[in-house]
Amino acid sequence: MTDIKAVARELVVANRILSREDVVDAYGHVSVRHPDNPNRFLIATSIAPELVEETDIVELDLDCAPIKDDGRPLYHERFIHGAIYQARPDVHAVVHAHSEDVLPFAISTAPLRPVIHSGSFMGTKVPVWDIADKFGTGTNMLVTNIDQGRDLAKALGSDNVALMRGHGFAAAARSLIEAVRISVYTPRNARALTKAVMLGGEIKPLHDGEIAARNAGYKPYSLETRRAWRYWAHKAGCAHLVDDHAVDHQHKPWGT
Amino acid sequence: MTDIKAVARELVVANRILSREDVVDAYGHVSVRHPDNPNRFLIATSIAPELVEETDIVELDLDCAPIKDDGRPLYHERFIHGAIYQARPDVHAVVHAHSEDVLPFAISTAPLRPVIHSGSFMGTKVPVWDIADKFGTGTNMLVTNIDQGRDLAKALGSDNVALMRGHGFAAAARSLIEAVRISVYTPRNARALTKAVMLGGEIKPLHDGEIAARNAGYKPYSLETRRAWRYWAHKAGCAHLVDDHAVDHQHKPWGT
Amino acid sequence: MTDIKAVARELVVANRILSREDVVDAYGHVSVRHPDNPNRFLIATSIAPELVEETDIVELDLDCAPIKDDGRPLYHERFIHGAIYQARPDVHAVVHAHSEDVLPFAISTAPLRPVIHSGSFMGTKVPVWDIADKFGTGTNMLVTNIDQGRDLAKALGSDNVALMRGHGFAAAARSLIEAVRISVYTPRNARALTKAVMLGGEIKPLHDGEIAARNAGYKPYSLETRRAWRYWAHKAGCAHLVDDHAVDHQHKPWGT
Amino acid sequence: MTDIKAVARELVVANRILSREDVVDAYGHVSVRHPDNPNRFLIATSIAPELVEETDIVELDLDCAPIKDDGRPLYHERFIHGAIYQARPDVHAVVHAHSEDVLPFAISTAPLRPVIHSGSFMGTKVPVWDIADKFGTGTNMLVTNIDQGRDLAKALGSDNVALMRGHGFAAAARSLIEAVRISVYTPRNARALTKAVMLGGEIKPLHDGEIAARNAGYKPYSLETRRAWRYWAHKAGCAHLVDDHAVDHQHKPWGT
């Protein structure tokens, strides 16, 4: 049995990192699949990520109902998470965010593609999901039920990141640390690409072989990855939550 | 009778949030209509929003004269507020700011329109008011009397945000929290749109039905809105001013 | 006789503000003409503006020699200041900076012009001085002697801001507070204009009458100006240096 | 014999400055050639630059093997450093970084060139190295062996900065302080150039004579350079590591 408190603590760290790195503001959320029960996931109650504490972490089933309903309010868009966990057994962590510098690609026909090595984790293709395609032009644009979540998950397919038209993105990964890393570097890749387009030259995207080599070689609990995790936690003021116990824990792949 | 001190405290929080979120600097201001007397509004004396305290909040009538003139200096542009309250009984809070990333749309013919879901609160149309149209090309560009304020209010019409050529914007809303929210997300929408235009693709603005659905569903004192308010107050270092009393108070719509 | 310590303290505040507002970094400097002797000016020794203290302020004559040479090193480019004070008796404060967002206009033929009301203090025209025009293409680009300073001052003429090709800008004003204000808002105007150009619409610059009206109405020690000074000093962590004595002092125009 | 502890301390300062100035994040590194043994260099173990302490500094030979292998992990890309020190006896410090605003020039055909005086230290030409040219399109893009390092060093030639396609840059200089300075101002030059291109006018790059004059006149331990070093260290919160001893030490050119 995994120490669920340690997992919750890591989820708190993930919340704080995403806030500090401007991936989320009052809105946006991150979840992790339950390490011992793939039919559940952990996520905060309806609180801004910057303010999430361990006691705010709750367990939901994959239809997004709370395992223990103690009346605390839940994120309206938790269905993004549940639907992706349903469709993708390989996915163990999900982030949904409105990261500002990704938005230009979510409101125009210009394609987002990996152009920097740290952006390779997006994968070769970044689909754009438009809620209006299936649910019409009169929604409030939020993913507020499992049907909408499943439609988004279908658009995501086997990719790692899906843009959501006029709204933001959803990122899916094999581990919490990867989901955070994709969410931090996708905006950076977007900024670099936006500026490169402005420069007016010819863009040199990553080669498919480079993307494949990077993803094949990537170990979520490698030294290099933990280097980033510790650094981000330090910047976010929660280095004290990244303790040796948690690090040991990280060496056990969750849910596999 | 409403606890006016609690309202003043919330107005202090609004001032600090707008400063922390770079909507205002030394200049710009926010007001709220008196909850018990629609012919008055509350606003700070002539102080930078970052430095406003409860004791700096004064009451003005809708022609912008102080109810009790104790000699403290007032914002020259308070007429923006008074004139909008005169013209729009539905409006209970007003922000005027020079938010930098909105300015490009106030100095060019390129239209600002909602392209991200959090920008939907601007509404379908953002008129541009040019002081020179009625008052000529020799003004100091400031709205320093009630006639100028009324001309701006007329341009605003029934919309939520009016750009002011070469100057900034005015935002009008049903509640203080909505006025702040519009003022934070209008610059974000502007930045996303500016970058999307640079990318050279086709822009996909929000559908009118989406804007309508979002505004119809919006409750200013909803859990989701308070989530943002608490987060912004935390960032601005004044979370201690957002107490339970104030939250309870917020459940009573002001002035309606 | 003016309290020179109070003037030096205000110059320290100006240094800190310019640093906090990203107008200067390790380089760039601000000076003020001696209030009682127009043939001298006060400036820091060769120290980054962020770190300047009252004891670092020295007096130079208008050829930029120290009144008391105690061996402390001086800014190489102090000649920018001396030459402008020589040429412009109306000028009482000078800033030289490499403010990043002004640089695009100093390295391209695109003209900088006032488009926002707070940019009006640049005046109707912003000349570009190119050191290579008179001193050839083999200089180190710095203004390191009085001849180079005078050539720059000649290009500035009766204007308020001159761009320096590939280098930065020099701003000249009637008071310290005005020189700082121009230096803070010129980059903001530059950013707004850059983004507006990118949007591809037609630019609507300020009318000459608006610029004239704003400058005619401007009082450097007005309440509105002090509001900004106090706010900037607060942000820069030196509000304690802006005391009542200094404020009283500010009501006496220096050197006139 | 040089005080190696003082050199290590300066390398810690360099790490912290590069992090504070956003040149590096969790990734990127800086090294300095051993002052008494040109066949060695000092660099941190595999730690984010923001978190590097004196005890994290190790000595490597120019093939990048540790002099004393105590099992601590090393940067995968240390070969960038070793290969440049092998090829360039004049070089005494190297930085490798992914500085975001340089990336647009590393992913497009638009050339980076010096346009601002502080960018002159890049030199007249900034070559772009593409790992795929020699090592194919299936690498993970990292420089993880000495062959790849040597290919990069060959592309760098006698220049000061080489861009790395889709990845970042390598900067080589005569001293630690110069390597840091180039690394701080290259992104600034990149930003100014990017915006100038967007403005659509004609770009006015530095003249070759200006670049030559600036580099000829540059003294790495001059007062002006130390002014920047102290300022950056102050911003990075490690001014206490820049002591008089270190300053004295700096007057002795290392390794020459």
Side-chain angles (χ1 to χ4, degrees), chain B residues 54-91:
Chain B
E54 262 182 76
T55 51
D56 300 315
I57 304 297
V58 293
E59 290 185 26
L60 307 185
D61 66 28
L62 298 195
D63 284 327
C64 301
I67 302 304
K68 294 179 195 166
D69 190 352
D70 57 7
R72 283 187 288 174
L74 302 173
Y75 293 129
H76 283 329
E77 294 201 291
R78 61 193 181 275
F79 301 97
I80 294 171
H81 302 258
I84 292 175
Y85 290 125
Q86 287 182 11
R88 290 276 299 273
D90 62 311
V91 164

Short mmCIF file of all heavy atoms in Angstrom, two decimals, chain B residues 54-91:
data_model
loop_
_atom_site.label_atom_id
_atom_site.label_comp_id
_atom_site.label_asym_id
_atom_site.label_seq_id
_atom_site.Cartn_x
_atom_site.Cartn_y
_atom_site.Cartn_z
N GLU B 54 -8.71 51.91 4.64
CA GLU B 54 -10.15 52.12 4.88
C GLU B 54 -10.50 53.59 5.13
O GLU B 54 -11.53 54.07 4.68
CB GLU B 54 -10.60 51.30 6.08
CG GLU B 54 -11.26 49.99 5.70
CD GLU B 54 -11.73 49.23 6.94
OE1 GLU B 54 -12.74 49.60 7.54
OE2 GLU B 54 -11.02 48.27 7.29
N THR B 55 -9.61 54.27 5.87
CA THR B 55 -9.91 55.66 6.20
C THR B 55 -9.81 56.60 5.00
O THR B 55 -10.20 57.76 5.09
CB THR B 55 -8.94 56.16 7.29
OG1 THR B 55 -7.60 55.86 6.85
CG2 THR B 55 -9.20 55.46 8.61
N ASP B 56 -9.31 56.08 3.90
CA ASP B 56 -9.22 56.91 2.69
C ASP B 56 -10.48 56.85 1.84
O ASP B 56 -10.58 57.54 0.83
CB ASP B 56 -8.03 56.46 1.82
CG ASP B 56 -6.71 56.57 2.55
OD1 ASP B 56 -6.50 57.61 3.18
OD2 ASP B 56 -5.90 55.63 2.48
N ILE B 57 -11.43 56.01 2.22
CA ILE B 57 -12.64 55.85 1.42
C ILE B 57 -13.65 56.95 1.78
O ILE B 57 -13.93 57.16 2.97
CB ILE B 57 -13.30 54.46 1.66
CG1 ILE B 57 -12.29 53.34 1.38
CG2 ILE B 57 -14.57 54.32 0.84
CD1 ILE B 57 -11.80 53.24 -0.04
N VAL B 58 -14.15 57.63 0.77
CA VAL B 58 -15.13 58.70 1.00
C VAL B 58 -16.40 58.44 0.18
O VAL B 58 -16.39 57.61 -0.73
CB VAL B 58 -14.56 60.09 0.62
CG1 VAL B 58 -13.43 60.47 1.57
CG2 VAL B 58 -14.08 60.11 -0.83
N GLU B 59 -17.46 59.15 0.53
CA GLU B 59 -18.72 59.05 -0.22
C GLU B 59 -18.90 60.29 -1.09
O GLU B 59 -18.71 61.41 -0.63
CB GLU B 59 -19.91 58.93 0.74
CG GLU B 59 -19.98 57.61 1.47
CD GLU B 59 -21.24 57.48 2.34
OE1 GLU B 59 -22.26 58.14 2.02
OE2 GLU B 59 -21.19 56.73 3.32
N LEU B 60 -19.28 60.06 -2.34
CA LEU B 60 -19.58 61.17 -3.25
C LEU B 60 -21.01 61.02 -3.75
O LEU B 60 -21.55 59.91 -3.80
CB LEU B 60 -18.63 61.13 -4.46
CG LEU B 60 -17.12 61.07 -4.22
CD1 LEU B 60 -16.37 61.16 -5.55
CD2 LEU B 60 -16.67 62.17 -3.28
N ASP B 61 -21.62 62.14 -4.13
CA ASP B 61 -22.91 62.02 -4.82
C ASP B 61 -22.65 61.76 -6.30
O ASP B 61 -21.49 61.72 -6.74
CB ASP B 61 -23.79 63.25 -4.56
CG ASP B 61 -23.22 64.53 -5.17
OD1 ASP B 61 -22.49 64.47 -6.18
OD2 ASP B 61 -23.50 65.61 -4.62
N LEU B 62 -23.69 61.58 -7.06
CA LEU B 62 -23.48 61.16 -8.45
C LEU B 62 -22.98 62.29 -9.36
O LEU B 62 -22.59 62.04 -10.50
CB LEU B 62 -24.74 60.51 -9.02
CG LEU B 62 -25.20 59.24 -8.29
CD1 LEU B 62 -26.23 58.48 -9.14
CD2 LEU B 62 -24.05 58.31 -7.94
N ASP B 63 -22.99 63.53 -8.83
CA ASP B 63 -22.29 64.61 -9.55
C ASP B 63 -20.85 64.73 -9.06
O ASP B 63 -20.13 65.65 -9.42
CB ASP B 63 -23.04 65.93 -9.37
CG ASP B 63 -24.29 65.97 -10.23
OD1 ASP B 63 -24.28 65.38 -11.33
OD2 ASP B 63 -25.29 66.58 -9.79
N CYS B 64 -20.48 63.81 -8.18
CA CYS B 64 -19.08 63.67 -7.74
C CYS B 64 -18.64 64.70 -6.71
O CYS B 64 -17.44 64.95 -6.53
CB CYS B 64 -18.13 63.64 -8.92
SG CYS B 64 -18.53 62.29 -10.05
N ALA B 65 -19.60 65.30 -6.03
CA ALA B 65 -19.27 66.17 -4.89
C ALA B 65 -19.23 65.31 -3.64
O ALA B 65 -20.05 64.39 -3.48
CB ALA B 65 -20.32 67.27 -4.74
N PRO B 66 -18.31 65.61 -2.72
CA PRO B 66 -18.22 64.81 -1.49
C PRO B 66 -19.42 65.08 -0.59
O PRO B 66 -19.86 66.22 -0.48
CB PRO B 66 -16.92 65.29 -0.85
CG PRO B 66 -16.65 66.63 -1.44
CD PRO B 66 -17.28 66.66 -2.80
N ILE B 67 -19.94 64.04 0.05
CA ILE B 67 -21.05 64.21 0.99
C ILE B 67 -20.58 65.03 2.19
O ILE B 67 -21.27 65.93 2.64
CB ILE B 67 -21.56 62.81 1.45
CG1 ILE B 67 -22.00 61.99 0.23
CG2 ILE B 67 -22.68 62.95 2.48
CD1 ILE B 67 -23.05 62.63 -0.63
N LYS B 68 -19.39 64.70 2.67
CA LYS B 68 -18.78 65.53 3.73
C LYS B 68 -17.44 66.02 3.20
O LYS B 68 -16.53 65.22 3.04
CB LYS B 68 -18.50 64.69 4.98
CG LYS B 68 -19.73 64.17 5.68
CD LYS B 68 -19.32 63.33 6.91
CE LYS B 68 -20.50 62.50 7.39
NZ LYS B 68 -20.10 61.44 8.33
N ASP B 69 -17.34 67.31 2.92
CA ASP B 69 -16.09 67.82 2.35
C ASP B 69 -15.12 68.16 3.48
O ASP B 69 -15.24 69.19 4.12
CB ASP B 69 -16.37 69.05 1.48
CG ASP B 69 -15.12 69.44 0.70
OD1 ASP B 69 -14.04 68.86 0.95
OD2 ASP B 69 -15.21 70.32 -0.17
N ASP B 70 -14.18 67.27 3.72
CA ASP B 70 -13.19 67.52 4.77
C ASP B 70 -11.87 67.99 4.17
O ASP B 70 -10.84 67.96 4.81
CB ASP B 70 -12.98 66.26 5.61
CG ASP B 70 -12.56 65.07 4.78
OD1 ASP B 70 -12.29 65.24 3.56
OD2 ASP B 70 -12.49 63.96 5.32
N GLY B 71 -11.92 68.42 2.90
CA GLY B 71 -10.73 69.03 2.30
C GLY B 71 -9.75 68.05 1.69
O GLY B 71 -8.78 68.46 1.06
N ARG B 72 -10.02 66.77 1.85
CA ARG B 72 -9.09 65.83 1.24
C ARG B 72 -9.24 65.84 -0.27
O ARG B 72 -10.35 65.95 -0.79
CB ARG B 72 -9.34 64.42 1.81
CG ARG B 72 -8.75 64.27 3.20
CD ARG B 72 -8.84 62.86 3.69
NE ARG B 72 -10.21 62.47 4.01
CZ ARG B 72 -10.56 61.24 4.36
NH1 ARG B 72 -9.66 60.27 4.41
NH2 ARG B 72 -11.83 60.97 4.66
N PRO B 73 -8.15 65.73 -1.00
CA PRO B 73 -8.21 65.85 -2.46
C PRO B 73 -8.88 64.62 -3.08
O PRO B 73 -8.74 63.51 -2.58
CB PRO B 73 -6.74 65.92 -2.86
CG PRO B 73 -6.00 65.25 -1.76
CD PRO B 73 -6.78 65.50 -0.51
N LEU B 74 -9.58 64.84 -4.17
CA LEU B 74 -10.30 63.77 -4.86
C LEU B 74 -9.66 63.50 -6.22
O LEU B 74 -8.97 64.36 -6.78
CB LEU B 74 -11.76 64.17 -5.04
CG LEU B 74 -12.51 64.48 -3.73
CD1 LEU B 74 -13.89 65.03 -4.03
CD2 LEU B 74 -12.57 63.24 -2.83
N TYR B 75 -9.89 62.30 -6.75
CA TYR B 75 -9.40 61.99 -8.11
C TYR B 75 -10.02 62.96 -9.11
O TYR B 75 -11.24 63.16 -9.11
CB TYR B 75 -9.81 60.57 -8.50
CG TYR B 75 -9.16 59.46 -7.71
CD1 TYR B 75 -9.93 58.45 -7.12
CD2 TYR B 75 -7.77 59.37 -7.59
CE1 TYR B 75 -9.34 57.41 -6.41
CE2 TYR B 75 -7.18 58.32 -6.89
CZ TYR B 75 -7.97 57.34 -6.30
OH TYR B 75 -7.39 56.31 -5.61
N HIS B 76 -9.20 63.54 -9.97
CA HIS B 76 -9.73 64.42 -11.02
C HIS B 76 -10.76 63.71 -11.89
O HIS B 76 -11.70 64.31 -12.36
CB HIS B 76 -8.58 64.89 -11.94
CG HIS B 76 -7.73 65.96 -11.33
ND1 HIS B 76 -8.22 66.88 -10.44
CD2 HIS B 76 -6.41 66.27 -11.50
CE1 HIS B 76 -7.26 67.70 -10.08
NE2 HIS B 76 -6.15 67.35 -10.70
N GLU B 77 -10.55 62.42 -12.12
CA GLU B 77 -11.39 61.70 -13.09
C GLU B 77 -12.55 60.95 -12.42
O GLU B 77 -13.09 60.02 -13.00
CB GLU B 77 -10.53 60.73 -13.90
CG GLU B 77 -9.51 61.45 -14.78
CD GLU B 77 -9.06 60.54 -15.90
OE1 GLU B 77 -8.35 59.54 -15.61
OE2 GLU B 77 -9.41 60.81 -17.06
N ARG B 78 -12.94 61.39 -11.21
CA ARG B 78 -14.05 60.72 -10.52
C ARG B 78 -15.34 60.80 -11.34
O ARG B 78 -16.27 60.02 -11.13
CB ARG B 78 -14.24 61.32 -9.14
CG ARG B 78 -14.57 62.79 -9.12
CD ARG B 78 -14.43 63.38 -7.72
NE ARG B 78 -14.77 64.79 -7.64
CZ ARG B 78 -13.92 65.78 -7.92
NH1 ARG B 78 -12.68 65.53 -8.31
NH2 ARG B 78 -14.32 67.04 -7.81
N PHE B 79 -15.37 61.74 -12.31
CA PHE B 79 -16.59 61.92 -13.12
C PHE B 79 -16.87 60.71 -14.01
O PHE B 79 -17.99 60.52 -14.44
CB PHE B 79 -16.47 63.22 -13.92
CG PHE B 79 -16.27 64.41 -13.03
CD1 PHE B 79 -15.01 64.91 -12.77
CD2 PHE B 79 -17.37 64.98 -12.37
CE1 PHE B 79 -14.82 65.99 -11.91
CE2 PHE B 79 -17.19 66.06 -11.51
CZ PHE B 79 -15.91 66.56 -11.27
N ILE B 80 -15.85 59.93 -14.29
CA ILE B 80 -16.08 58.67 -15.01
C ILE B 80 -17.07 57.82 -14.22
O ILE B 80 -18.01 57.25 -14.77
CB ILE B 80 -14.75 57.90 -15.19
CG1 ILE B 80 -13.82 58.67 -16.11
CG2 ILE B 80 -15.01 56.48 -15.70
CD1 ILE B 80 -12.40 58.11 -16.17
N HIS B 81 -16.86 57.76 -12.92
CA HIS B 81 -17.68 56.92 -12.05
C HIS B 81 -19.09 57.50 -11.91
O HIS B 81 -20.08 56.82 -12.15
CB HIS B 81 -17.01 56.78 -10.68
CG HIS B 81 -15.64 56.20 -10.75
ND1 HIS B 81 -15.37 54.90 -10.45
CD2 HIS B 81 -14.45 56.73 -11.14
CE1 HIS B 81 -14.08 54.65 -10.62
NE2 HIS B 81 -13.49 55.76 -11.03
N GLY B 82 -19.14 58.77 -11.52
CA GLY B 82 -20.45 59.38 -11.28
C GLY B 82 -21.36 59.32 -12.50
O GLY B 82 -22.55 58.99 -12.41
N ALA B 83 -20.79 59.61 -13.66
CA ALA B 83 -21.60 59.64 -14.87
C ALA B 83 -22.12 58.26 -15.23
O ALA B 83 -23.25 58.11 -15.71
CB ALA B 83 -20.77 60.23 -16.02
N ILE B 84 -21.32 57.25 -15.02
CA ILE B 84 -21.79 55.90 -15.33
C ILE B 84 -22.88 55.47 -14.34
O ILE B 84 -23.88 54.89 -14.73
CB ILE B 84 -20.61 54.90 -15.37
CG1 ILE B 84 -19.70 55.20 -16.57
CG2 ILE B 84 -21.12 53.46 -15.44
CD1 ILE B 84 -18.44 54.36 -16.66
N TYR B 85 -22.70 55.81 -13.07
CA TYR B 85 -23.76 55.47 -12.11
C TYR B 85 -25.07 56.20 -12.45
O TYR B 85 -26.16 55.66 -12.26
CB TYR B 85 -23.33 55.81 -10.68
CG TYR B 85 -22.25 54.90 -10.13
CD1 TYR B 85 -21.06 55.42 -9.63
CD2 TYR B 85 -22.42 53.52 -10.11
CE1 TYR B 85 -20.07 54.60 -9.14
CE2 TYR B 85 -21.41 52.69 -9.61
CZ TYR B 85 -20.24 53.23 -9.13
OH TYR B 85 -19.27 52.41 -8.65
N GLN B 86 -24.95 57.44 -12.95
CA GLN B 86 -26.16 58.17 -13.35
C GLN B 86 -26.87 57.47 -14.51
O GLN B 86 -28.09 57.32 -14.51
CB GLN B 86 -25.79 59.59 -13.80
CG GLN B 86 -25.40 60.52 -12.66
CD GLN B 86 -25.08 61.93 -13.15
OE1 GLN B 86 -25.34 62.28 -14.31
NE2 GLN B 86 -24.52 62.75 -12.27
N ALA B 87 -26.09 57.04 -15.48
CA ALA B 87 -26.68 56.50 -16.71
C ALA B 87 -27.13 55.05 -16.57
O ALA B 87 -27.98 54.59 -17.33
CB ALA B 87 -25.67 56.62 -17.86
N ARG B 88 -26.55 54.32 -15.64
CA ARG B 88 -26.76 52.88 -15.59
C ARG B 88 -27.16 52.39 -14.21
O ARG B 88 -26.29 51.97 -13.40
CB ARG B 88 -25.46 52.18 -16.02
CG ARG B 88 -25.09 52.33 -17.49
CD ARG B 88 -25.79 51.29 -18.35
NE ARG B 88 -25.41 49.97 -17.97
CZ ARG B 88 -24.34 49.32 -18.46
NH1 ARG B 88 -23.56 49.89 -19.34
NH2 ARG B 88 -24.08 48.09 -18.06
N PRO B 89 -28.48 52.39 -13.92
CA PRO B 89 -28.92 51.92 -12.58
C PRO B 89 -28.49 50.49 -12.28
O PRO B 89 -28.38 50.11 -11.12
CB PRO B 89 -30.45 52.03 -12.67
CG PRO B 89 -30.74 52.93 -13.81
CD PRO B 89 -29.59 52.83 -14.76
N ASP B 90 -28.23 49.70 -13.32
CA ASP B 90 -27.83 48.31 -13.10
C ASP B 90 -26.38 48.18 -12.66
O ASP B 90 -25.95 47.10 -12.23
CB ASP B 90 -28.04 47.51 -14.40
CG ASP B 90 -27.18 48.05 -15.54
OD1 ASP B 90 -27.19 49.28 -15.78
OD2 ASP B 90 -26.48 47.25 -16.20
N VAL B 91 -25.63 49.24 -12.78
CA VAL B 91 -24.19 49.18 -12.48
C VAL B 91 -23.94 49.51 -11.01
O VAL B 91 -24.42 50.53 -10.52
CB VAL B 91 -23.41 50.13 -13.41
CG1 VAL B 91 -22.00 50.38 -12.86
CG2 VAL B 91 -23.35 49.57 -14.82
#
